[in-house]
């Protein structure tokens, strides 16, 4: 994970900054700039989710297969619980904030996973 962040971290930050700027300008034109905080909240939720996934995978590799399976399930339950809590909080605030958080989450996921694919491909070549 550290190799990945060293190699692709700046690219991810730049891409997110450009997308956030474009979203911010679009939301400003529609007078809904407050939704930008919800999108950023979605970014942060995705980053937390991805790092929890990476940490759980690294820990799981150290265990025997039966114990690893149990730990992987526990980690999956914890990640989905956290994600569900964030989304329920967003729904309680408003539906538009919920959708902004979901959009931010998926934007960050897509960007990180595309960069993981690029990193893996470059590492193999």
């Amino acid at each position: 994970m550290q190799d990945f962040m060293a190699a692709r971290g700046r690219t991810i930050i730049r891409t997110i900054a450009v997308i956030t700027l474009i979203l911010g300008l679009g939301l400003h034109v529609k007078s809904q700039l407050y939704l930008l905080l919800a999108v950023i909240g979605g970014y942060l939720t995705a980053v937390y989710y991805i790092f929890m996934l990476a940490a759980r995978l690294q820990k799981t590799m150290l265990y025997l297969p039966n114990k690893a399976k149990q730990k992987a399930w526990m980690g999956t339950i914890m990640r989905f619980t956290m994600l569900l809590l964030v989304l329920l909080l967003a729904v309680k605030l408003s539906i538009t904030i919920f959708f902004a958080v979901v959009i931010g989450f998926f934007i960050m996921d897509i960007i990180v996973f595309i960069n993981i694919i690029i990193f893996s491909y470059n590492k193999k070549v």
Side-chain angles (χ1 to χ4, degrees):
M1 190 68 179
Q2 293 168 347
D3 294 340
F4 169 72
M5 286 310 295
R8 304 299 302 172
R10 287 186 181 172
T11 304
I12 292 171
I13 291 172
R14 277 190 231 130
T15 306
I16 287 296
V18 169
I19 290 173
T20 304
L21 181 66
I22 292 168
L23 281 173
L25 290 173
L27 290 171
H28 180 67
V29 168
K30 292 184 175 188
S31 298
Q32 294 180 330
L33 197 56
Y34 67 94
L35 290 176
L36 192 61
L37 287 175
V39 172
I40 293 171
Y43 292 165
L44 295 175
T45 304
V47 167
Y48 179 74
Y49 185 84
I50 291 166
F51 280 118
M52 288 253 321
L53 177 64
R56 183 62 56 185
L57 286 174
Q58 285 179 340
K59 286 181 182 178
T60 302
M61 290 172 36
L62 301 174
Y63 295 112
L64 296 173
N66 288 338
K67 184 89 169 172
K69 186 177 179 181
Q70 180 185 12
K71 293 285 186 178
W73 272 108
M74 191 58 107
T76 302
I77 291 169
M78 287 174 29
R79 283 191 313 278
F80 282 130
T81 302
M82 183 275 310
L83 186 59
L84 183 66
L85 290 174
V86 169
L87 293 178
L88 286 175
L89 176 66
V91 166
K92 283 220 176 242
L93 295 174
S94 79
I95 296 298
T96 51
I97 290 177
F98 168 76
F99 284 121
V101 169
V102 170
I103 287 169
F105 183 86
F106 284 115
I107 287 172
M108 180 62 84
D109 268 352
I110 290 167
I111 290 171
V112 169
F113 286 120
I114 287 172
N115 279 284
I116 288 172
I117 292 168
I118 292 169
F119 177 74
S120 297
Y121 179 76
N122 289 338
K123 201 169 186 179
K124 287 181 182 177
V125 173

